Amino acid sequence: AYIILRNANVLPEEVELKKEIISLQKLIDCCHETGETGEVNSLKRKLTYKILKFDIMMEKRKLNFALGSYKEKIYQKFGGY
């Protein structure tokens, strides 16, 4: 089922959120390098919202319990936050 959805460019919501979190992190890093502090604050708020939304989604699905001590390692593998 996952392959069919992936081929149709339909990804699970948690994967989409994770991609958005990673792209926001990259944008924040770029803004730090260029010195655009006004944009950084806005992007950090969006990032915080996406992270909270992701964490709540994982809590609802009880995946955090299954992940246990591996949670931090998995987050670092996906780009860390």
Side-chain angles (χ1 to χ4, degrees):
Y2 175 77
I3 294 172
I4 293 170
L5 290 173
R6 185 190 65 191
N7 290 341
N9 290 326
V10 178
L11 296 173
E13 190 176 359
E14 64 269 10
V15 174
E16 289 291 332
L17 271 174
K18 196 63 184 167
K19 283 184 174 184
E20 292 173 12
I21 288 169
I22 291 169
S23 68
L24 283 171
Q25 287 174 331
K26 288 180 181 179
L27 284 172
I28 289 170
D29 292 341
C30 289
C31 288
H32 277 301
E33 292 173 4
T34 60
E36 297 178 28
T37 57
E39 286 291 319
V40 171
N41 292 333
S42 173
L43 291 172
K44 283 185 178 180
R45 279 194 297 272
K46 289 179 184 178
L47 179 63
T48 302
Y49 172 76
K50 298 286 183 180
I51 291 171
L52 286 173
K53 188 174 179 179
F54 180 79
D55 287 343
I56 290 170
M57 183 184 307
M58 293 295 106
E59 283 291 328
K60 286 182 180 177
R61 294 184 182 185
K62 301 293 183 194
L63 289 179
N64 280 343
F65 177 77
L67 295 177
S69 63
Y70 298 107
K71 179 180 177 180
E72 292 300 318
K73 290 180 183 179
I74 291 171
Y75 283 164
Q76 288 174 356
K77 181 80 170 176
F78 279 101
Y81 62 85

